[in-house]
Amino acid sequence: MNYFEPHLTPDELRAISAIGLAHMGDAVYETLVRTWLCVHGKATGKELHRATIALVCAQKQAELAQRVLPQLTEEELAVYKRGRNANVHAMPRSATPAQYHAATGLECLMGWLYLQGSKERAEQLFRAMMEEET
């Protein structure tokens, strides 16, 4: 297994819980955000952390998810819904339950895409989310 370039089978992906996929997707999404901020010179120094937090919070993720939902395939939408409907045990006070569930759905999708080796698709969706942020 190459952990930098994972390629899990459909059966292996189904064996991972929605929360597990969201856990992975959280890291994938944050890595994309940090890269985007650095590449676009959106923030420097102390502002990098604040800018990252503003883009990875549940409210913003829920907003960005809405931008790409119409672009998802049936299978991708099913994965998003699997994450959105996951039984989460703790929610931040800064987000509504609907926002938190939507953010979990987005993270689940990003984790699923990454673990199956579909980084190009994850990149395509991320670019679509960030179009209006430039």
Side-chain angles (χ1 to χ4, degrees), residues 29-82:
Y29 178 78
E30 185 163 343
T31 299
L32 289 168
V33 164
R34 288 174 179 232
T35 303
W36 185 84
L37 287 169
C38 289
V39 168
H40 288 90
K42 292 292 184 182
T44 57
K46 289 185 233 180
E47 290 301 313
L48 273 172
H49 180 69
R50 285 191 194 117
T52 300
I53 296 303
L55 289 168
V56 300
C57 69
Q59 302 96 309
K60 189 64 172 182
Q61 284 185 1
E63 175 191 326
L64 296 175
Q66 294 307 308
R67 292 183 190 172
V68 296
L69 284 178
Q71 300 174 32
L72 300 183
T73 66
E74 280 186 38
E75 187 177 27
E76 290 167 347
L77 187 58
V79 171
Y80 169 82
K81 288 179 179 179
R82 179 179 165 200

Side-chain angles (χ1 to χ4, degrees), residues 78-89:
V79 171
Y80 169 82
K81 288 179 179 179
R82 179 179 165 200
R84 185 194 63 195
N85 297 335
N87 187 13
V88 293
H89 298 291

Side-chain angles (χ1 to χ4, degrees), residues 103-121:
T104 303
L106 178 63
E107 290 173 348
C108 185
L109 175 61
M110 296 302 270
W112 180 79
L113 289 168
Y114 175 77
L115 289 172
Q116 75 172 0
S118 296
K119 291 188 296 188
E120 295 82 14
R121 179 62 174 155

